């Protein structure tokens, strides 16, 4: 309700005849009278500058000035007012303003009133006259070049000593049927008073006589009765200017005055409402509406709007045809505005936490006015991928009352987030009632869930919560108290968690720091990933050091002197990247060999598709390799894989496997290599039981084995080398994980595989890898020494994995190794570059053969010695600096050869005369002495 009036007009004292001016107001009065005297003593040559004709009977009258309207009313009520309308009897405001400026430009004149002169630029005018301490007059410098005059009114606005002054002539008005803009003519004080919207606004203060003038004869009486009444017949008054309907509503709510019954009847008239909709600009409607909602009693203003059936007249979108406009549901308006008023007046928790200042108070009433549009259908985007149009309520605010962008944005957010806010309030309410009940999904009571919600809702979340509350009040009118308790508990919970200002919380990490911690380039993924970091930050308010967040991202957070691998934040980022960043990019190329749960698909065995270059259409389905986001996703996938541990890999298995298999299935060697490298890291932390349960060991094997055939006949040598170097270790690790001997069958499994059976399957897989990988590939690439080097490097760990089971392959392996160690490269140009690495790989593979197959070495010692001795002779005379490859020279090769001979000596023993055989070789070729001694 409106505040108590400082001064009321007493019945027994009679109407006052004069007013007591403040010192500033008296200074203004003196200035204006002196300007009037100046004009009378030096009249203008004519009125050519004015578009309004001055009647002959006024031409010879002296200038009389009056303070009018609201200022007089407020003075009588004892309410301070800084807005003064000055009515001039025989000049327009434009004409008087010019002479006022002329007067103040006379040297010495401004000083009489404590002024310094007139502002000379827009920049000076912005501050001029804004306070009683500001000695410069603002606004007058513009009136000659830009008088800001309308065709009819020719008014001028200026600022003097903190007072906003409107200069306008006394006038009478004639209205047309289709416009509220009158045909203006000079009028008498009586005519000017009678054209005003209300009798209480129609009194004048004549500054010449210093008397109050009440030409309607009812101004004082109506103030005493606290009555809003039109000076003339209400219907015609509103018909002439329908905006007066809204002005009366505003004054009624501001002054706590009741509106005259005849005026109320006319305000309900459909003709008047139609004229208000048709004749009044929406800018003017918006100004009056905003003033009413910002006033002391917005409840009464809205009550009158609803009660007078003016809601759709004011709150509608004029850009939409009436017949097509959504009809708002105004049922329950009284309960809604009463509830809001009670909350604000009694400072309930809803107001205490959500309405902190006048701006948020205004916004709460503005949103309350739009609740009837709560069920309006949400507009659909004009086309897929386009942004959806604003909600109807926002369009009503924007077009119907010309709300500011800030207000419109708040309305948009309030409507779109209403359901989420209400759901979160309900979820917390249920959580509080049943704290023992298990939680599915996000915990509505947790700090991170609530904090991130507030950050999503943004700075206007308090106003949005008010809107959600009012919507529930209207939809549950019989349980308003229960709704209040529910929202009160929600707000108290936010306060207890210190989340009321969560939207202002500064992140510990920015995008640059996060990208550096992840060791990945920045990209479009960053924004959502920072939300994950913020959620972690909300869960741990005790952590304020950005370095702690960086350590968490890297997965190595220090706690009580110990390093904890795979920190909480790292795990959260892993889940986020896999689900929301990586998976969408790989969705169109999901492998057909696995289910959505990451299990093997039961299917018939079919031949793999023929490998061909992909078409443009096929490439378009692979955004992970054709877009910037895709490149970022691969970088993030590498980080995700590096963050895996045994527990986490099982949790995200169904998200992790599809992109890995997609990479392995791609036709380009580069992506196959990436897939193999990533899978290798994953397998190193994958429990054997997980492979067993999902059946993906076979799927991985089927994806990797064809890569071994990507040799120089179909792939450039460099790509082949990189691919083979990645695939062999992955296959070897896959075998070890699949057939881990200590791994029992998974719980509930019908399989009863024994340790012996698993060992047999393991050896069988290793045999296949050696035959189809090493031996077969060697036969196809024997003239490609760089490929041979890779094969021999991969042979060594494979032999160690096979152990004694490798003996069955000796008849194939030893000729390969002997040939490699003894044959000279055909291409002399590449000899120096590849000879040493190839020979080193061959020697180390020979060592592995001896170590794993030593029981059979006495049978194959001749073949071994052949390879070692011929290799020794190849490098015997070479100098170290003439060698090639990775810092290894002939000297290192000679050392490895001697060690290999020692291994063979131990493996063979004394029973076969090995030393005699060595002596015979030395006797035949003296250079071999250093090899055997």
């Amino acid at each position: 309700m409106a505040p108590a009036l400082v001064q009321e007009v007493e019945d027994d004292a009679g109407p006052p005849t004069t007013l007591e001016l403040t010192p500033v107001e008296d200074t203004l009065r003196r200035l204006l009278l002196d300007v009037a005297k100046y004009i009378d003593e030096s009249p203008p040559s004519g009125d050519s500058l004015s578009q309004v004709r001055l009647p002959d009977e006024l031409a010879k009258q002296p200038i009389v000035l009056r303070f009018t309207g609201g200022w007089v009313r407020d003075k009588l009520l004892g309410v301070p007012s800084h807005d003064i309308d000055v009515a001039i009897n025989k000049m327009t405001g434009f004409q008087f303003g010019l002479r006022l400026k002329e007067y103040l430009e006379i040297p010495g004149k401004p000083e009489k009133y404590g002024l310094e002169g007139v502002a000379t630029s827009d920049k000076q005018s912005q501050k001029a006259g804004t306070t009683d301490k500001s000695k410069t007059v603002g606004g007058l410098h513009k009136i000659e070049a830009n008088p800001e005059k309308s065709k009819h009114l020719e008014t001028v606005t200026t600022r003097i000593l903190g007072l906003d002054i409107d200069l306008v002539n006394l006038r009478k008005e004639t209205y047309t049927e289709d416009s509220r803009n009158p045909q203006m003519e000079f009028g008498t004080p009586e005519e000017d008073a009678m054209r005003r919207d209300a009798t209480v606004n129609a009194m004048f203060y004549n500054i010449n006589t210093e008397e109050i003038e009440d030409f309607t004869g009812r101004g004082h009486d109506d103030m005493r009765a606290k009555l809003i009444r039109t000076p003339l017949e209400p219907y015609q008054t509103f018909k002439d200017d329908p905006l007066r309907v809204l002005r009366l509503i505003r004054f009624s709510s501001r002054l706590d005055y009741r509106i005259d019954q005849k005026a109320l009847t006319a305000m309900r008239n459909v003709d008047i409402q139609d004229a208000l909709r048709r004749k009044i600009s929406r800018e003017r409607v918006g100004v009056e509406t905003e003033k009413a909602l910002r006033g002391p009693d917005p409840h009464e203003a809205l009550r009158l709007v609803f009660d007078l059936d003016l809601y759709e007249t004011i709150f509608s979108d004029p850009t939409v045809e009436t017949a097509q406009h959504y009809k708002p549901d105004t049922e329950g308006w009284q309960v809604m505005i009463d509830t809001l008023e009670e909350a604000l007046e009694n400072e309930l928790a809803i107001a205490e936490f959500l309405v902190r200042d006048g701006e948020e108070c205004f916004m709460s009433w503005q949103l309350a006015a739009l609740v009837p549009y709560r069920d309006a259908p949400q507009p659909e985007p004009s086309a897929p991928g386009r942004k959806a149009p604003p909600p109807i309520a926002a369009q009503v605010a924007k077009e119907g009352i010309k709300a500011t962008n800030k207000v419109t944005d708040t309305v948009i957010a309030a409507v779109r987030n209403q359901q989420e806010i209400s759901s979160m309030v309900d979820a917390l309410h249920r959580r509080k009632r049943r704290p023992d009940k298990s939680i599915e999904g996000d915990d509505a009571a947790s700090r991170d869930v609530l904090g991130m919600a507030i950050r999503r809702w943004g700075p206007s979340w308090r106003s949005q919560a008010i809107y959600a509350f009012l919507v529930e009040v209207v939809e549950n009118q019989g349980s308003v108290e229960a709704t209040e308790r529910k929202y009160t508990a929600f707000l108290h919970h936010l306060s207890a968690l210190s989340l009321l200002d969560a939207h202002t919380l500064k992140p510990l990490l920015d995008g640059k720091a996060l990208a550096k911690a992840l060791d990945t380039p920045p990209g479009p993924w960053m924004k959502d990933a920072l939300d994950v970091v913020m959620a972690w930050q909300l869960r741990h308010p005790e952590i304020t050091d950005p370095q702690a967040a960086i350590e968490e991202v890297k997965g190595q957070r220090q706690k009580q002197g110990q390093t904890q691998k795979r920190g909480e934040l790292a795990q959260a980022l892993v889940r986020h990247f896999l689900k929301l960043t990586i998976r969408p990019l790989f969705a169109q190329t999901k492998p057909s060999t696995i289910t959505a749960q990451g299990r093997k698909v039961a299917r018939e065995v079919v031949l793999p598709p023929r490998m061909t270059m992909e078409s443009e259409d096929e490439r378009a389905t692979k955004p992970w390799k054709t877009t910037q986001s895709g490149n970022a996703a691969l970088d993030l996938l590498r980080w995700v894989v590096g963050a895996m541990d045994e527990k986490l890999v099982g949790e995200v298995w169904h998200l992790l496997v599809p992109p890995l298999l997609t990479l392995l299935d791609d036709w380009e060697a580069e992506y196959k290599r990436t897939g193999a490298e990533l899978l290798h890291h994953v397998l190193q932390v994958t429990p054997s039981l997980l492979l067993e349960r999902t059946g993906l060991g076979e799927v991985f094997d089927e994806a990797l084995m064809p890569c071994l055939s990507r040799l120089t006949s179909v792939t450039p040598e460099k790509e082949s080398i990189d691919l083979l170097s990645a695939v062999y270790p992955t296959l070897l690790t896959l075998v070890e994980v699949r057939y881990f001997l200590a791994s029992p069958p998974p719980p509930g499994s019908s399989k009863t595989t024994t340790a012996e059976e698993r060992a047999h399957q393991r050896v069988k897989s290793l045999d296949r890898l050696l035959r189809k990988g090493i031996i077969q590939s060697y036969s196809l690439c024997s003239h490609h020494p760089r490929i041979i080097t890779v094969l021999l490097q991969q042979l060594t760990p494979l032999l160690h994995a096979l152990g004694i089971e490798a003996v069955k392959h000796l008849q194939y392996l030893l000729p390969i190794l002997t040939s490699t160690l003894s044959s000279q490269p055909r291409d002399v140009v590449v000899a120096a570059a590849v000879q040493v690495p190839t020979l080193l790989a061959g020697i180390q593979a020979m060592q592995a053969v001896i170590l794993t197959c030593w029981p059979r070495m006495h049978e194959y010692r001749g073949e071994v010695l052949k390879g070692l001795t011929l290799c020794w002779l190849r490098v015997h005379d070479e100098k170290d600096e003439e060698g090639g490859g990775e810092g290894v020279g002939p000297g290192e090769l000679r050392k490895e050869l001697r060690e290999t001979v020692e291994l063979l000596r131990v493996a063979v023993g004394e029973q076969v005369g090995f030393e005699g055989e060595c002596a015979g070789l030395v006797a035949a070729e003296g250079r071999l002495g250093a090899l055997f001694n």
Side-chain angles (χ1 to χ4, degrees):
M1 303 298 288
L5 300 176
V6 178
Q7 176 183 342
E8 294 187 1
V9 182
E10 299 293 340
D11 290 335
D12 55 358
T17 59
T18 188
L19 295 172
E20 182 177 352
L21 304 184
T22 66
V24 171
E25 292 167 341
D26 188 62
T27 299
L28 175 65
R29 173 184 168 274
R30 290 190 295 108
L31 170 61
L32 294 175
L33 289 175
D34 288 347
V35 173
K37 182 180 178 182
Y38 170 74
I39 296 172
D40 286 337
E41 292 176 350
S42 57
S45 59
D47 62 347
S48 60
L49 291 177
S50 172
Q51 299 187 36
V52 183
R53 181 179 176 276
L54 179 65
D56 294 338
E57 61 269 20
L58 288 178
K60 296 180 180 180
Q61 293 183 12
I63 292 179
V64 179
L65 304 175
R66 293 174 172 86
F67 293 167
T68 70
W71 179 87
V72 179
R73 178 200 66 225
D74 289 345
K75 266 296 188 182
L76 289 170
L77 294 174
V79 177
S81 177
H82 299 285
D83 296 324
I84 302 179
D85 291 349
V86 179
I88 311 152
N89 66 324
K90 58 176 289 184
M91 300 182 74
T92 66
F94 170 55
Q95 294 170 320
F96 189 87
L98 285 175
R99 301 306 300 274
L100 171 61
K101 178 186 177 188
E102 179 182 305
Y103 178 80
L104 289 174
E105 289 174 344
I106 298 174
K109 294 299 185 183
E111 288 78 7
K112 290 176 59 177
Y113 316 99
L115 300 172
E116 296 175 353
V118 178
T120 59
S121 66
D122 286 343
K123 185 175 181 180
Q124 289 182 2
S125 192
Q126 287 178 358
K127 296 183 179 179
T130 54
T131 70
D132 58 356
K133 305 297 183 183
S134 180
K135 305 304 182 183
T136 305
V137 177
L140 288 181
H141 77 287
K142 299 172 64 177
I143 64 173
E144 288 182 284
N146 180 17
E148 299 179 355
K149 59 182 180 176
S150 75
K151 180 177 180 181
H152 303 301
L153 302 182
E154 293 191 359
T155 61
V156 165
T157 299
T158 184
R159 291 192 306 275
I160 303 174
L161 297 173
L163 299 174
D164 292 318
I165 313 300
D166 280 349
L167 302 174
V168 63
N169 60 282
L170 290 173
R171 57 194 187 270
K172 61 181 178 181
E173 297 168 346
T174 303
Y175 290 86
T176 64
E177 179 67 22
D178 296 327
S179 174
R180 70 170 292 267
N181 294 322
Q183 299 296 322
M184 197 279 292
E185 301 176 17
F186 279 96
T188 65
E190 293 82 357
E191 290 172 330
D192 192 276
M194 299 304 288
R195 70 169 184 81
R196 294 181 177 265
D197 47 27
T199 57
V200 297
N201 295 337
M203 290 182 285
F204 301 150
Y205 176 70
N206 189 317
I207 68 173
N208 295 70
T209 64
E210 300 184 59
E211 293 181 346
I212 297 174
E213 300 170 336
D214 183 6
F215 292 106
T216 69
R218 291 178 292 182
H220 286 297
D221 293 339
D222 288 346
M223 286 190 68
R224 187 179 294 108
K226 295 187 175 182
L227 180 68
I228 299 291
R229 189 207 316 258
T230 59
L232 298 175
E233 193 276 325
Y235 180 88
Q236 190 59 48
T237 297
F238 298 142
K239 192 74 171 176
D240 288 342
D241 185 0
L243 186 64
R244 289 166 176 163
V245 171
L246 299 185
R247 289 176 60 81
L248 262 59
I249 289 175
R250 174 164 67 89
F251 288 124
S252 174
S253 64
R254 175 186 169 187
L255 301 172
D256 193 21
Y257 282 15
R258 63 184 176 85
I259 299 176
D260 174 63
Q261 187 58 49
K262 290 183 179 179
L264 289 174
T265 301
M267 293 164 78
R268 286 191 176 93
N269 187 285
V270 293
D271 292 337
I272 300 300
Q273 293 180 1
D274 177 68
L276 175 59
R277 181 186 297 108
R278 182 168 43 84
K279 293 175 62 175
I280 307 302
S281 73
R282 287 294 174 158
E283 287 80 6
R284 295 296 296 145
V285 171
V287 168
E288 291 298 328
T289 302
E290 180 173 346
K291 287 181 178 179
L293 296 183
R294 288 188 183 276
D297 194 359
H299 173 275
E300 177 63 9
L302 280 184
R303 187 196 69 77
L304 287 168
V305 168
F306 282 109
D307 188 59
L308 295 171
D309 294 327
L310 289 166
Y311 182 80
E312 289 187 63
T313 301
I314 300 170
F315 295 99
S316 59
D317 182 357
T319 65
V320 178
E321 294 291 337
T322 303
Q324 299 175 352
H325 199 281
Y326 175 80
K327 186 171 181 59
D329 180 7
T330 57
E331 183 181 354
W333 65 264
Q334 186 74 59
V335 174
M336 175 188 64
I337 65 173
D338 288 351
T339 301
L340 180 56
E341 181 187 38
E342 180 187 3
L344 294 172
E345 283 195 344
N346 298 328
E347 296 185 354
L348 302 181
I350 292 172
E352 176 189 355
F353 290 120
L354 301 182
V355 184
R356 300 168 296 174
D357 52 32
E359 194 63 29
E360 287 181 343
C361 182
F362 160 70
M363 199 64 238
S364 66
W365 287 107
Q366 179 70 83
L367 288 168
L370 296 168
V371 166
Y373 284 97
R374 64 194 179 278
D375 290 330
Q378 294 288 338
E380 296 293 331
S382 58
R386 293 285 185 89
K387 187 177 181 181
I392 291 178
Q395 282 297 102
V396 168
K398 180 181 179 181
E399 301 294 342
I401 57 176
K402 294 300 179 180
T404 63
N405 289 340
K406 180 180 179 181
V407 170
T408 303
D409 289 344
T410 302
V411 175
I412 292 173
V415 173
R416 288 178 174 170
N417 294 330
Q418 179 264 320
Q419 188 60 51
E420 182 185 5
I421 294 172
S422 296
S423 299
M424 191 154 286
V425 172
D426 287 339
L428 180 63
H429 179 64
R430 293 191 297 270
R431 186 85 177 90
K432 293 281 189 180
R433 291 181 61 189
R434 292 291 306 276
D436 57 323
K437 189 174 181 180
S438 59
I439 302 171
E440 294 184 4
D442 294 334
D443 183 359
S446 66
R447 197 171 190 274
D448 58 328
V449 172
L450 292 169
M452 291 305 295
I454 289 175
R455 292 181 68 85
R456 279 196 308 277
W457 303 333
S460 66
W461 79 268
R462 289 178 169 85
S463 296
Q464 297 175 47
I466 284 279
Y467 178 80
F469 167 69
L470 294 176
V471 168
E472 288 206 50
V473 165
V474 170
E475 294 180 348
N476 302 279
Q477 298 176 45
S479 54
V480 173
E481 291 184 1
T483 301
E484 289 178 341
R485 288 194 299 270
K486 187 170 60 174
Y487 274 78
T488 296
F490 177 74
L491 294 170
H492 278 296
H493 187 71
L494 292 180
S495 178
L497 294 178
S498 300
L499 288 175
L500 293 172
D501 294 313
H503 60 286
T504 66
L505 183 62
K506 183 179 179 181
L508 288 177
L509 298 182
D510 58 17
K512 183 177 180 180
L514 178 59
K516 184 176 180 181
L518 294 172
D519 195 24
T520 60
W525 54 269
M526 191 178 297
K527 180 180 179 297
D528 292 335
L530 286 172
D531 286 341
V532 176
V533 179
M534 176 52 69
W536 170 83
Q537 185 177 336
L538 286 164
R539 289 192 297 272
H540 299 280
E542 74 284 358
I543 297 178
T544 58
D545 182 8
Q547 187 59 37
I550 292 174
E551 291 173 357
E552 273 280 346
V553 172
K554 292 181 176 179
Q556 295 184 350
R557 179 184 172 193
Q558 296 291 333
K559 185 176 182 181
Q560 297 179 351
Q562 296 181 348
T563 299
Q564 293 184 325
K565 296 284 186 180
R566 315 307 178 218
E568 175 192 344
L569 178 54
Q571 294 186 30
L573 285 169
V574 164
R575 299 184 192 97
H576 167 78
F577 288 141
L578 284 174
K579 187 174 182 180
L580 299 178
T581 306
I582 297 171
R583 181 167 67 173
L585 292 169
F586 284 84
Q588 297 185 62
T589 51
K590 183 179 178 181
S592 60
T593 51
I594 58 172
T595 67
Q597 293 74 34
R599 295 177 177 271
K600 178 185 176 183
V601 172
R603 58 183 176 82
E604 296 181 358
V605 177
V606 295
L607 293 175
R610 183 178 179 183
M611 192 173 300
T612 59
M613 292 184 63
E614 58 196 7
S615 65
E616 287 298 325
D617 291 340
E618 291 172 327
R619 195 170 180 84
T621 66
K622 299 179 179 182
W624 48 270
K625 67 188 297 187
T626 59
T627 65
Q628 181 181 359
S629 297
N631 293 333
L634 290 179
D635 290 331
L636 293 174
L637 184 58
R638 291 186 184 93
W639 179 84
V640 163
V641 167
M644 287 292 115
D645 57 27
E646 286 195 11
K647 179 180 179 182
L648 187 57
V649 75
E651 181 182 339
V652 301
W653 184 253
H654 64 293
L655 298 171
L656 184 60
V657 170
L660 297 181
L661 285 176
T662 299
L663 290 170
L664 285 171
D665 290 344
D666 194 73
W667 77 276
E668 293 186 65
E670 173 190 356
Y671 293 103
K672 285 183 175 292
R673 174 181 58 81
T674 299
E677 290 173 346
L678 296 178
L679 179 58
H680 186 211
H681 287 295
V682 170
L683 289 172
Q684 288 176 325
V685 293
T686 299
S688 180
L689 290 178
L690 181 59
L691 277 184
E692 179 77 18
R693 186 177 69 250
T694 59
L696 291 191
E698 183 179 355
V699 173
F700 291 147
D701 184 82
E702 292 174 354
L704 289 166
M705 285 300 293
C707 296
L708 301 183
S709 63
R710 294 293 294 264
L711 301 174
T712 54
S713 59
V714 293
T715 306
E717 183 180 74
K718 176 64 168 60
E719 292 184 9
S720 264
I721 290 172
D722 292 341
L723 179 59
L724 295 175
S725 298
V727 170
Y728 276 107
T730 307
L731 279 167
L732 186 56
T733 302
L734 175 63
V735 171
E736 298 299 341
V737 176
R738 287 184 72 184
Y739 305 115
F740 181 54
L741 300 182
S743 175
S749 173
S750 59
K751 298 181 180 180
T752 56
T753 308
T754 64
E756 290 77 13
E757 290 172 329
R758 295 173 70 82
H760 174 72
Q761 292 170 342
R762 173 181 176 275
V763 171
K764 184 177 179 181
S765 295
L766 292 173
D767 286 341
R768 182 174 66 110
L769 178 57
L770 193 149
R771 289 196 311 273
K772 292 190 174 183
I774 305 297
I775 299 174
Q776 183 173 308
S777 296
Y778 180 87
S779 66
L780 297 173
C781 299
S782 59
H783 301 307
H784 294 273
R786 290 185 176 88
I787 299 290
I788 298 302
T789 301
V790 173
L791 295 176
L792 296 180
Q793 288 170 343
Q794 304 305 323
L795 174 60
T796 297
L798 181 54
L799 288 171
H800 287 300
L802 270 170
I804 191 62
E805 297 290 344
V807 295
K808 66 174 73 73
H809 305 288
L810 282 176
Q811 59 181 319
Y812 307 106
L813 291 177
L814 285 177
I816 290 174
L817 295 177
T818 299
S819 175
T820 301
L821 294 175
S822 59
S823 300
Q824 292 286 347
R826 294 183 179 182
D827 191 343
V828 178
V829 176
V830 301
V834 300
Q835 180 179 5
V836 172
T838 305
L839 294 178
L840 179 62
I843 295 168
Q844 291 174 340
M846 187 69 82
Q847 292 173 354
V849 167
I850 297 171
L851 287 170
T852 55
C853 304
W854 63 268
R856 301 290 297 274
M857 283 300 98
H858 65 282
E859 299 178 25
Y860 292 95
R861 65 185 184 280
E863 187 72 18
V864 175
L865 285 172
K866 175 184 176 182
L868 295 177
T869 55
L870 291 176
C871 182
W872 177 269
L873 294 175
R874 286 178 60 183
V875 300
H876 178 271
D877 296 327
E878 294 184 16
K879 298 180 180 180
D880 286 348
E881 61 268 24
E882 295 175 353
E886 302 178 2
V888 177
E892 182 67 23
L893 293 179
R894 289 191 287 269
K895 178 182 175 182
E896 291 290 333
L897 286 168
R898 284 192 291 267
E899 291 180 359
T900 308
V901 169
E902 288 301 315
L903 288 176
L904 182 61
R905 178 179 285 118
V906 172
V908 172
E910 298 293 335
Q911 68 272 24
V912 296
F914 179 74
E915 293 301 333
E917 294 173 346
C918 292
L921 290 171
V922 172
E925 174 54 71
R927 290 179 295 173
L928 295 177
L931 174 63
F932 294 109
N933 295 325

